[in-house]
Amino acid sequence: MKFIQSKAEIQEVQEQPIADAILDTIQMLENQYEEPYQATLHGWFVVCEDEQDLIQPFPDLTFSLAEKLNAGEVEFVEKKKDWYEAYILLNDNEGILVYVPKTIFEQHRFQVI
């Protein structure tokens, strides 16, 4: 599981299309708010790299992606060509945009799909 809270961390993402999507989102946020991206203000990103990443709790949080999906506590799940995106709202300002490759996501039966 990779946590992206800065532009520099995007280079750690193995899947180039996902890295590009994260960079596009960060640039959109910077343009929209007319300020540099800050994870604590604009939210942050998680890239799941294996099946275990779906069920283990996020660091410093008490829940996993699978728990939130099964409870219907996600803002949206969107199917892209090669991955799924799920957005979890943490508070009024901060959220997590989670990227899960299709091969991992589709191994599970989530209620949201």
Side-chain angles (χ1 to χ4, degrees), residues 1 3 5 44 46 56-63 96:
M1 186 179 305
F3 295 90
Q5 295 181 325
W44 40 287
V46 173
Q56 72 182 37
F58 296 112
D60 300 326
L61 298 172
T62 60
F63 57 84
I96 307 170

Side-chain angles (χ1 to χ4, degrees), residues 68 73-75 87-96:
K68 288 292 189 180
E73 297 175 350
V74 295
E75 298 300 310
Y87 184 71
I88 302 169
L89 190 61
L90 299 177
N91 56 46
D92 290 341
N93 298 323
E94 191 176 4
I96 307 170

Side-chain angles (χ1 to χ4, degrees), residues 24-112:
D24 289 346
T25 301
I26 287 175
Q27 290 172 336
M28 179 203 61
L29 289 167
E30 289 179 333
N31 290 337
Q32 180 179 350
Y33 293 104
E34 298 179 347
E35 64 184 9
Y37 167 74
Q38 296 176 54
T40 55
L41 293 176
H42 304 118
W44 40 287
F45 306 88
V46 173
V47 179
C48 294
E49 298 176 304
D50 59 48
E51 188 177 346
Q52 194 66 22
D53 291 346
L54 297 175
I55 57 174
Q56 72 182 37
F58 296 112
D60 300 326
L61 298 172
T62 60
F63 57 84
S64 69
L65 177 59
E67 289 174 66
K68 288 292 189 180
L69 286 168
N70 288 327
E73 297 175 350
V74 295
E75 298 300 310
F76 70 81
V77 175
E78 188 173 338
K79 184 177 181 178
K80 300 292 187 174
K81 182 181 177 202
D82 297 318
W83 70 85
Y84 285 82
E85 294 178 9
Y87 184 71
I88 302 169
L89 190 61
L90 299 177
N91 56 46
D92 290 341
N93 298 323
E94 191 176 4
I96 307 170
L97 185 54
V98 184
Y99 293 80
V100 185
K102 282 174 87 171
T103 55
I104 296 170
F105 195 92
E106 291 177 349
Q107 293 177 18
H108 293 269
R109 295 247 180 235
F110 293 114
Q111 296 172 8
V112 296

